[in-house]
Amino acid sequence: MSERLVVIGGDAAGMSAASQARRLKAPGELEIVAFERGSFTSFSACGIPYWVGGEVSERAELIARTPEEHRARGIDLRTRTEVLEIDPARRRVRSRDLASGAEDWTAYDKLVIATGARPLRPPLPGIDAPGVHGVQTLGDGQALLDRLAATEGRRAVVIGAGYIGVEMAEALLRRGYEVTVVNRGEQPMSTLDPDMGRLVHDAMSGMGITMVNDAEVTKILTGADGAVRAVATQDAEYPADVVVLGLGVRPETELARAAGLPLGEHGGLLTDLSMRVRGPVADGAIWAGGDCVEVLDLISGQQRHIALGTHANKHGQVIGSNVGDGYATFPGVVGTAVSKVCDLEIARTGLREKDARAVGLRYETVTIESTSRAGYYPGAAPMTVKMLAERRTGRLLGTQIVGREGAAKRVDVAAVALTARMTVEQMTALDLGYAPPFSPVWDPVLVAARKAVAAVRRTGG
Amino acid sequence: MSERLVVIGGDAAGMSAASQARRLKAPGELEIVAFERGSFTSFSACGIPYWVGGEVSERAELIARTPEEHRARGIDLRTRTEVLEIDPARRRVRSRDLASGAEDWTAYDKLVIATGARPLRPPLPGIDAPGVHGVQTLGDGQALLDRLAATEGRRAVVIGAGYIGVEMAEALLRRGYEVTVVNRGEQPMSTLDPDMGRLVHDAMSGMGITMVNDAEVTKILTGADGAVRAVATQDAEYPADVVVLGLGVRPETELARAAGLPLGEHGGLLTDLSMRVRGPVADGAIWAGGDCVEVLDLISGQQRHIALGTHANKHGQVIGSNVGDGYATFPGVVGTAVSKVCDLEIARTGLREKDARAVGLRYETVTIESTSRAGYYPGAAPMTVKMLAERRTGRLLGTQIVGREGAAKRVDVAAVALTARMTVEQMTALDLGYAPPFSPVWDPVLVAARKAVAAVRRTGG
């Protein structure tokens, strides 16, 4: 007797889950129906800044698998079809075909919720004016590119200085715009400690980007044509021919909330280690993954919401294995993220100082300067590494890196060390790859670990 | 009462030990005497290929700290002074000033042996002919550069295809030579499995380097002027205006052997975890580190000899801490090494297939192709990752990577995972940095780990 798997959301988590389940179960054993509100599936939202910036020339390059490809693999994919309601008691979902308006109930034996996240869009005056753009979907990216092509203006304001904000600042700079980044925080990249964020600030200023910190946007000013002409803060006005919103995202969990499924303090769905939604309402038949769930931070022990394609893919893989009667778990995250602005590389993993304080951890911090290659080797680029280690135990708590080429991916060493709960003393003995074109004889991460050992010893507990 | 520390060898391990001891102990507490046979100290032997190749323009750039700098820091450094004998019973060493020929006994309370390694130089006919060069010391590098400047020839033969061999092939290519690499092994880079070595072979051939495998050099042929003119193997002759030896090294432990100190099966000194030489003869007063010692391979449980500057520096740091009444240990290695030939990057860590077999481990292997960045991002470069996992347990045993830009340092993730004794299943959940300019959404190492999980499951034990 065939079961039916229903998937809500046709992007990374949902379609990874569907594809993995399909690999494990033949169509005769498991029918798979996937609903996607938009027209695209399995696209790289993380790639949109590079499409806008021109490094990626075609939208199609950002699409890992088209609806047709999914269908050819035996997934009944229904695009332009929005799920309006989940009825866990009767194990069914209500959907609407956006073209015809027709509504339908579809029963499920197993359900995957992969509804993603929605960008924050504060209710500012003028926020809906032409020329104000989000960059969440391929449609958003296309609309922004159309706007850039259509306007003669050359001034862009990016609101927000997180990953999307700084990546869009680069993209607009590449398009020849004068770019201003308006940011509520003390420094850009609030996922870093402020001292490391300051390095990002200085580097972006050095690229000719106007960086405005501690600024609250109060309204979007429009011109006679109704389109954006400036962004106003409490202090000043910044002329803008185009405005890009990079204010972060929230889990898209309205359907789940309405169905009575459990949400965490960040608004994301709460799952167990197999990515199955917790609690009696879900009744063991509902899984969730991607940007709509909260994940366990393995270092702080707290739930977090992290919208990142790499997690979404892992979640989908885990869900697909489990709904396909295999076995896999997602143990949690350590909070690794990398980004770049032109040639500036930014990376972080683990806890910031304020995260550590918030969960009652005492720590030492050290910051060191090193280079990506042996100092004498051409192209050796500077980087700054900050490391947090727990007092007394010396356990690694977090690492932040700001530098140039070769800086960002070094954070992976710290990410693995965090996962393995290594101390900074243990890290000093790590056998990392060394040759002059690739590293100084002490890798920058090891230099930081050595200094952290000394700091932990000095305070002695 | 002041103690005296004597150090034999003025390079990475010896001078790191001396410097670290100096940091911990004032000159009034600890006198430090260091003997160095040559004229230089603390130089980067690993940098010689790049100096020969022209990326590094000045010899001085390869010297991390000059004799004068060491002396200014309170180390009684005696260059051009060779230690001829260690007398552990009376805790003294006999040295000769190479300029005057004067000999002297120097008493020690603590002794550090850091005599390094010597390059293999088989007793072939013609091996001492002008034009045949090793590349172990700065003097060797200078002699080779002088030879290159003085000859009009344009054909170079490199004997050996390990790290030094392939790096010297690049250097000579950069100098405009027609390069032939003659190699005894089945493939170049015998530190990789042959299937991965084949990728190096193909890539180097593609660079215009003539790659000759399975070739035993029988003699060096000389011309009428007595200088090298060709390299002969059992099968053929390869014309050569210059020959570079890259046949590997052996621990330089003649002094230690003569003193009755314990040597391992690779000829290196045997130490404990604090880098103190084992056994009654050393009597707890002798430490050793760098290229003259054997180290514990944490994965195979065997002793190995690995000549690598990064280990030597760590050893020195550990020894200096311990002789300075601090505390540090060197737990062992996992066998990480990275190298490059032009734009080809080569990396390995852990066990090869034959290493695993040799110690009785059963394993699965997988090999995958991936890219350094998201496939759609400019500069995404291909790489091949091979992974070994133990049968049943799924524990990671080794990883080899051959690719282009961005390939080599990814091996660090596997190196940390090996150190932490992770399984490939645990690795699939690693929270590695992801953004399109830095990685596909599944990092290549994770792609390999996923496939390894499937392989381990398939055989089920």
Side-chain angles (χ1 to χ4, degrees):
Chain A
M1 195 191 71
S2 173
E3 284 196 317
R4 184 186 290 146
L5 170 67
V6 168
V7 176
I8 309 175
D11 205 350
M15 298 319 292
S16 289
S19 301
Q20 175 67 1
R22 182 79 301 152
R23 260 175 237 126
L24 297 175
K25 291 278 193 181
E29 297 174 288
L30 184 72
E31 181 191 358
I32 304 178
V33 180
F35 295 103
E36 165 55 42
R37 187 161 60 176
S39 307
F40 303 105
T41 51
S42 304
F43 70 90
S44 173
C46 339
I48 292 174
Y50 311 103
W51 177 33
V52 173
E55 287 103 325
V56 177
S57 53
E58 295 289 334
R59 183 177 68 190
E61 296 179 56
L62 298 183
I63 298 174
R65 206 170 275 179
T66 63
E68 294 67 35
E69 289 169 321
H70 283 298
R71 289 183 192 118
R73 287 160 198 253
I75 296 168
D76 178 0
L77 177 66
R78 306 182 190 174
T79 47
R80 304 282 302 146
T81 308
E82 184 167 10
V83 172
L84 304 173
E85 184 184 350
I86 302 169
D87 177 1
R90 298 178 66 180
R91 296 200 174 181
R92 58 182 192 160
V93 302
R94 181 162 59 89
S95 64
R96 176 189 291 151
D97 179 319
L98 294 180
S100 69
E103 293 192 9
D104 224 346
W105 284 100
T106 305
Y108 64 79
D109 297 290
K110 292 169 177 173
L111 176 68
V112 175
I113 302 175
T115 43
R118 63 169 187 281
L120 289 175
R121 229 183 139 80
L124 294 171
I127 189 103
D128 294 321
V132 180
H133 292 265
V135 283
Q136 174 82 352
T137 65
L138 292 181
D140 293 341
Q142 190 62 63
L144 174 56
L145 278 168
D146 292 346
R147 173 83 191 173
L148 299 183
T151 54
E152 300 195 348
R154 282 282 158 248
R155 290 165 308 184
V157 172
V158 176
I159 304 178
Y163 293 102
I164 296 291
V166 303
E167 287 166 5
M168 288 308 303
E170 172 181 346
L172 292 161
L173 207 60
R174 289 177 62 96
R175 288 285 178 186
Y177 279 73
E178 290 173 31
V179 179
T180 300
V181 176
V182 178
N183 162 37
R184 188 172 5 194
E186 178 187 345
Q187 300 294 345
M189 295 306 293
S190 63
T191 52
L192 305 180
D193 284 320
D195 52 342
M196 296 297 281
R198 185 75 206 172
L199 302 180
V200 177
H201 174 100
D202 293 348
M204 291 180 71
S205 296
M207 293 167 195
I209 298 169
T210 303
M211 300 296 292
V212 184
N213 299 327
D214 293 315
E216 194 72 48
V217 173
T218 52
K219 63 182 140 180
I220 311 283
L221 303 172
T222 51
D225 61 351
V228 63
R229 74 169 171 80
V231 170
T233 68
Q234 75 274 33
D235 297 323
E237 280 182 21
Y238 301 93
D241 304 301
V242 62
V243 171
V244 172
L245 302 176
L247 291 164
V249 299
R250 287 270 295 173
E252 179 65 272
T253 48
E254 280 313 309
L255 282 177
R257 182 192 305 275
L261 295 170
L263 303 183
E265 61 177 304
H266 307 287
L269 274 153
L270 297 176
T271 74
D272 66 14
L273 293 170
S274 74
M275 300 309 295
R276 200 163 54 172
V277 174
R278 296 186 206 163
V281 175
D283 198 21
I286 306 181
W287 281 259
D291 294 357
C292 67
V293 305
E294 297 188 5
V295 292
L296 176 63
D297 180 318
L298 295 167
I299 311 307
S300 70
Q302 309 291 304
Q303 295 290 126
R304 290 180 61 183
H305 178 244
I306 302 176
L308 200 55
T310 186
H311 297 327
N313 273 279
K314 287 195 182 95
H315 294 166
Q317 180 79 13
V318 167
I319 293 169
S321 295
N322 290 321
V323 301
D325 293 340
Y327 173 63
T329 64
F330 184 82
V333 302
V334 293
T336 312
V338 295
S339 187
K340 78 174 193 72
V341 191
C342 301
D343 68 340
L344 184 78
E345 299 190 1
I346 305 163
R348 53 97 65 222
T349 190
L351 307 186
R352 295 165 298 182
E353 293 195 42
K354 72 175 181 182
D355 302 322
R357 282 195 300 268
V359 294
L361 289 166
R362 298 269 191 103
Y363 56 86
E364 304 295 334
T365 74
V366 296
T367 302
I368 64 99
E369 308 281 333
S370 185
T371 54
S372 58
R373 309 168 190 250
Y376 56 78
Y377 194 88
M383 74 179 74
T384 304
V385 181
K386 177 172 181 173
M387 195 170 273
L388 273 72
E390 191 183 14
R391 277 204 186 178
R392 299 202 187 188
T393 69
R395 183 163 63 96
L396 179 67
L397 295 179
T399 301
Q400 298 164 39
I401 307 177
V402 175
R404 305 286 165 159
E405 197 195 347
K409 277 293 262 180
R410 276 189 156 82
V411 84
D412 284 350
V413 165
V416 185
L418 278 169
T419 306
R421 301 180 73 82
M422 282 187 183
T423 66
V424 287
E425 181 109 30
Q426 288 170 323
M427 288 177 74
T428 61
L430 284 173
D431 187 359
L432 304 184
Y434 163 64
F438 298 110
S439 176
V441 71
W442 290 93
D443 190 278
V445 174
L446 300 188
V447 175
R450 276 174 63 184
K451 193 167 174 189
V453 168
V456 170
R457 282 185 182 165
R458 197 160 44 239
T459 58
Chain B
M1 196 192 72
S2 174
E3 285 195 317
R4 184 186 291 146
L5 170 66
V6 168
V7 176
I8 308 175
D11 205 350
M15 296 320 292
S16 289
S19 301
Q20 175 67 2
R22 181 81 300 154
R23 262 175 234 123
L24 297 176
K25 291 277 192 182
E29 296 174 288
L30 184 72
E31 181 192 357
I32 304 178
V33 179
F35 295 101
E36 164 57 41
R37 188 163 57 178
S39 307
F40 303 106
T41 51
S42 305
F43 70 90
S44 173
C46 340
I48 292 173
Y50 310 103
W51 176 35
V52 173
E55 288 103 324
V56 177
S57 53
E58 295 289 334
R59 183 178 69 189
E61 297 179 55
L62 298 182
I63 299 174
R65 205 171 276 178
T66 63
E68 293 68 33
E69 289 170 319
H70 283 298
R71 288 182 192 122
R73 287 161 198 253
I75 295 167
D76 178 1
L77 177 68
R78 306 182 190 174
T79 48
R80 304 282 301 145
T81 307
E82 185 167 10
V83 172
L84 303 173
E85 184 182 351
I86 301 169
D87 177 1
R90 298 178 66 181
R91 296 203 175 178
R92 58 183 192 160
V93 302
R94 182 163 57 92
S95 62
R96 177 189 292 150
D97 179 318
L98 295 180
S100 70
E103 293 193 9
D104 224 346
W105 283 100
T106 305
Y108 64 80
D109 298 290
K110 293 170 176 173
L111 177 68
V112 176
I113 302 176
T115 42
R118 63 169 185 279
L120 289 176
R121 230 183 139 80
L124 294 171
I127 189 102
D128 294 321
V132 180
H133 292 265
V135 283
Q136 175 82 351
T137 64
L138 293 181
D140 293 342
Q142 190 63 61
L144 175 55
L145 278 167
D146 292 347
R147 174 82 191 173
L148 299 183
T151 55
E152 298 194 350
R154 282 280 156 253
R155 290 167 306 185
V157 172
V158 176
I159 304 178
Y163 294 101
I164 295 292
V166 303
E167 288 167 3
M168 288 308 303
E170 171 182 346
L172 292 160
L173 207 59
R174 289 177 60 97
R175 289 284 178 186
Y177 279 73
E178 289 172 32
V179 179
T180 299
V181 176
V182 177
N183 163 37
R184 189 180 351 202
E186 179 186 346
Q187 299 293 347
M189 295 305 294
S190 63
T191 51
L192 306 179
D193 283 322
D195 52 343
M196 296 297 282
R198 185 75 205 170
L199 302 179
V200 177
H201 174 100
D202 293 348
M204 290 180 71
S205 296
M207 293 167 195
I209 298 168
T210 302
M211 301 295 293
V212 184
N213 299 328
D214 292 315
E216 194 73 47
V217 173
T218 53
K219 62 182 140 178
I220 312 282
L221 303 173
T222 51
D225 61 351
V228 63
R229 74 169 171 81
V231 170
T233 69
Q234 74 275 34
D235 297 322
E237 280 182 22
Y238 301 93
D241 303 301
V242 64
V243 172
V244 172
L245 303 176
L247 291 165
V249 299
R250 289 269 296 173
E252 178 66 271
T253 47
E254 279 314 308
L255 282 178
R257 182 190 306 273
L261 295 171
L263 303 182
E265 61 177 304
H266 307 288
L269 274 154
L270 296 176
T271 74
D272 66 14
L273 293 171
S274 74
M275 302 307 295
R276 201 164 53 172
V277 174
R278 297 186 207 162
V281 175
D283 197 22
I286 306 181
W287 280 260
D291 294 357
C292 66
V293 304
E294 297 190 4
V295 291
L296 176 64
D297 180 319
L298 295 167
I299 312 306
S300 70
Q302 309 292 304
Q303 294 291 125
R304 291 181 60 184
H305 178 243
I306 300 177
L308 200 55
T310 188
H311 296 329
N313 272 278
K314 287 195 183 95
H315 293 166
Q317 181 78 15
V318 167
I319 294 169
S321 296
N322 291 321
V323 301
D325 293 340
Y327 173 62
T329 65
F330 184 82
V333 303
V334 294
T336 311
V338 295
S339 188
K340 79 175 192 69
V341 191
C342 300
D343 67 340
L344 185 78
E345 299 191 1
I346 306 162
R348 54 97 66 223
T349 189
L351 307 186
R352 295 164 299 182
E353 294 195 41
K354 72 174 182 183
D355 303 322
R357 283 195 300 270
V359 294
L361 289 165
R362 298 268 192 102
Y363 56 86
E364 305 294 335
T365 74
V366 295
T367 302
I368 64 99
E369 309 281 331
S370 185
T371 53
S372 57
R373 309 167 190 252
Y376 56 77
Y377 193 89
M383 74 180 75
T384 304
V385 182
K386 176 172 181 172
M387 197 171 271
L388 274 72
E390 190 184 14
R391 278 205 186 178
R392 300 202 187 188
T393 70
R395 183 163 63 97
L396 178 68
L397 294 179
T399 300
Q400 297 164 39
I401 307 177
V402 175
R404 305 284 165 162
E405 197 196 348
K409 277 293 263 181
R410 276 186 156 83
V411 84
D412 284 349
V413 164
V416 185
L418 278 169
T419 305
R421 301 179 73 84
M422 283 187 182
T423 66
V424 287
E425 180 110 30
Q426 289 171 322
M427 288 178 74
T428 62
L430 284 174
D431 186 359
L432 304 184
Y434 163 64
F438 299 110
S439 176
V441 71
W442 288 95
D443 190 278
V445 174
L446 300 188
V447 175
R450 278 174 62 186
K451 195 168 174 189
V453 168
V456 170
R457 282 185 182 163
R458 195 160 48 240
T459 58

